[in-house]
Amino acid sequence: MSESETPPGQRAGAVVAFPAAAAPSSVTFDRRELNELFNLYGRMVAAGEWRDYAIDFLRDKAQFSVFRRTAEVPLYRIVKDPALARRQGAYSVVTATGLILKRGAELGRVLKVLDKRLSVVN
């Protein structure tokens, strides 16, 4: 086929359609969310409560799991599930037994259930 010929099945001057950009293959935490998660994680490590973490980016949700010991099941899982964003909020804190401690649309508010700030005792 020479350069002046058109491929079979296409008209001369026709617009060629390219496939659309693929949807992201997994849900992730963005930089702001990771900053909030690691700030809380750092405080809890300094307090001696947490020792390890794991981040999982799955097709339908992202999880930040925290452990007291490396070989144990996670104490808490902070889950981002965009499918629940309009109903109950995309973020939730889940215990090792599956109990949902808090759920909401803002990560900072959801993480407050885990953040034990020092207070003055009279």
Side-chain angles (χ1 to χ4, degrees), residues 10-55:
Q10 287 187 352
R11 299 185 325 259
V15 176
V16 178
F18 290 99
S25 61
S26 63
V27 177
T28 61
F29 292 109
D30 63 21
R31 181 175 293 224
R32 180 193 55 81
E33 293 165 338
L34 286 173
N35 190 26
E36 288 185 56
L37 289 168
F38 282 120
N39 281 339
L40 173 63
Y41 177 76
R43 287 193 304 271
M44 297 303 265
V45 167
E49 298 212 14
W50 297 350
R51 299 208 195 285
D52 200 7
Y53 72 92
I55 301 176

Side-chain angles (χ1 to χ4, degrees), residues 10 17 25-26 29 39 46 58-59 69 74 79 87 94 96 100 102 105 111-112 114:
Q10 287 187 352
S25 61
S26 63
F29 292 109
N39 281 339
L58 306 173
R59 182 173 299 246
R69 306 257 185 270
V79 180
R87 287 188 229 139
V94 183
I100 298 173
K102 187 145 176 108
L111 292 179
K112 283 185 182 180
L114 299 175

